[in-house]
Amino acid sequence: MGLHVAPTGPECPPIIEFRNVEKRYGPITVLDQLTFSVKPGEHLALIGPSGSGKTTILRILMTLESVTGGEVIVNGVTLNREHKNGSDVPASEAHLRKMRADFGMVFQHFNLFPHMTALQNVALAPVLTGLLSKAEAKERALQLLEKVGLADKAEQYPSRLSGGQKQRVAIARALALQPKILLLDEITSALDPELVEEVLNVISNLRDETDMTMLLVTHEMGFAKDFADRVLFFERGKIVEEGPPTEIFQSPHHERTKSFLRKVIAAGHRI
Ligand code: ADP
Ligand code: MG
């Protein structure tokens, strides 16, 4: 297991806090007064049926989605609201951009820019944000591609890469701005089974070799068991049950959790 042990105890303030967060689309409530927190360096697995709100949670943190109620706090700073001229107002684009800097996200469908090489995909954000010069960004991109085992593919366009290679480029790209928190949304779901392991190996290495906080949405329960310090089981925008992976996977308390895990196993996933 990992070299990094998630800090515990009351002395350690959370890096992420959801306080009574509500997300509605018209009459549909997607997140229902959701409250939870994540400690710095913690590795969290988010599991639950399709539509339970897992992607929405990651998209809210990535500032791709707003909330309709409650507060999201990152590193002690409210993400979705700010103080301006003495009053509490919805966050401005400038505030959201600042908050976004702590996060990197990897999506199910890679979302690489097809007209850019692997290297250009990884080097883009540090140049666009003015963080690095072109030469520095190129050097960092090469290091990151090496880290994900793709140094030899730097000059390839995505169309020439396998799904597993594309996803590893996407991971390198998510790391380019040196995020404190990495968000991973079903990153192996679109891959052929034989390509899943190379991607999960990269995630295992990041887990063991960095102190990033990581939130992983997955149906790979076997992997979640090794990866996670804590598992949250969601249903209809609420946490039904949470605990260490041994407890959630081996002796879940709630009937809903049990029946979900039975379905996942029936669908051919290992636990
Ligand atoms: P999960 O990732 O757990 O499958 P999501 O967070 O993607 O769940 O979605 C939760 C719910 O929100 C789903 O019922 C989905 O249909 C709904 N939803 C997501 N985005 C929108 C949208 N733009 N408009 C309306 N409903 C949406
Ligand atoms: Mg989803």
Side-chain angles (χ1 to χ4, degrees):
M1 286 294 270
L3 305 172
H4 288 272
V5 177
T8 51
E11 75 285 356
C12 178
I15 190 166
I16 296 171
E17 253 190 290
F18 274 55
R19 286 191 193 158
N20 299 317
V21 170
E22 181 199 75
K23 175 66 179 176
R24 296 169 61 119
Y25 292 102
I28 304 163
T29 301
V30 172
L31 299 182
D32 188 4
Q33 300 292 319
L34 180 64
T35 296
F36 71 96
S37 60
V38 186
K39 295 194 181 90
E42 203 175 12
H43 309 114
L44 218 62
L46 281 59
I47 66 169
S50 181
S52 58
K54 307 178 299 294
T55 293
T56 302
I57 290 165
L58 301 194
R59 288 177 57 84
I60 287 168
L61 289 169
M62 202 62 202
T63 75
L64 298 169
E65 208 69 73
S66 60
V67 302
T68 48
E71 278 195 307
V72 179
I73 297 157
V74 178
N75 266 324
V77 180
T78 304
L79 178 142
N80 57 310
R81 305 195 63 83
E82 63 182 316
H83 279 290
K84 258 196 184 151
N85 307 323
S87 52
D88 178 39
V89 295
S92 64
E93 187 47 46
H95 180 72
L96 291 175
R97 206 176 313 123
K98 233 182 286 162
M99 298 303 289
R100 194 180 302 149
D102 282 343
F103 294 96
M105 183 160 175
V106 185
F107 302 87
Q108 181 176 349
H109 293 292
F110 329 128
N111 302 359
L112 295 178
F113 297 110
H115 60 292
M116 291 184 178
T117 63
L119 184 94
Q120 288 167 338
N121 266 282
V122 180
L124 183 66
V127 174
L128 279 187
T129 54
L131 194 78
L132 298 179
S133 71
K134 272 191 176 164
E136 290 166 336
K138 185 175 171 185
E139 194 181 322
R140 183 181 291 174
L142 273 172
Q143 286 166 0
L144 288 169
L145 286 172
E146 197 166 332
K147 202 187 194 105
V148 300
L150 290 175
D152 58 328
K153 301 290 181 192
E155 300 305 329
Q156 295 288 352
Y157 287 88
S159 59
R160 301 284 303 273
L161 302 174
S162 73
Q165 290 168 340
K166 278 188 249 198
Q167 196 56 299
R168 286 188 280 151
V169 174
I171 294 167
R173 184 180 57 176
L175 298 174
L177 293 174
Q178 300 183 311
K180 294 191 188 76
I181 303 162
L182 189 61
L183 308 172
L184 304 162
D185 193 4
E186 295 201 40
I187 61 169
T188 58
S189 297
L191 298 179
D192 292 333
E194 72 271 21
L195 303 178
V196 168
E197 195 178 331
E198 66 188 65
V199 172
L200 294 183
N201 283 341
V202 168
I203 300 303
S204 286
N205 290 340
L206 288 174
R207 180 204 186 282
D208 293 347
E209 292 164 10
T210 73
D211 52 15
M212 273 188 298
T213 304
M214 297 168 78
L215 272 62
L216 170 87
V217 172
T218 190
H219 292 294
E220 301 278 347
M221 300 303 159
F223 183 69
K225 196 161 73 178
D226 293 337
F227 168 87
D229 303 308
R230 189 156 57 103
V231 179
L232 306 184
F233 172 62
F234 287 88
E235 199 181 53
R236 295 194 192 125
K238 278 181 179 300
I239 296 170
V240 174
E241 180 163 5
E242 67 170 288
T246 42
E247 185 181 310
I248 298 295
F249 293 125
Q250 277 152 32
S251 45
H253 296 293
H254 286 262
E255 191 45 50
R256 299 297 314 153
T257 318
K258 289 178 197 169
S259 75
F260 171 74
L261 291 172
R262 273 197 299 270
K263 278 184 206 140
V264 170
I265 294 167
H269 289 278
R270 228 166 19 93
I271 291 191

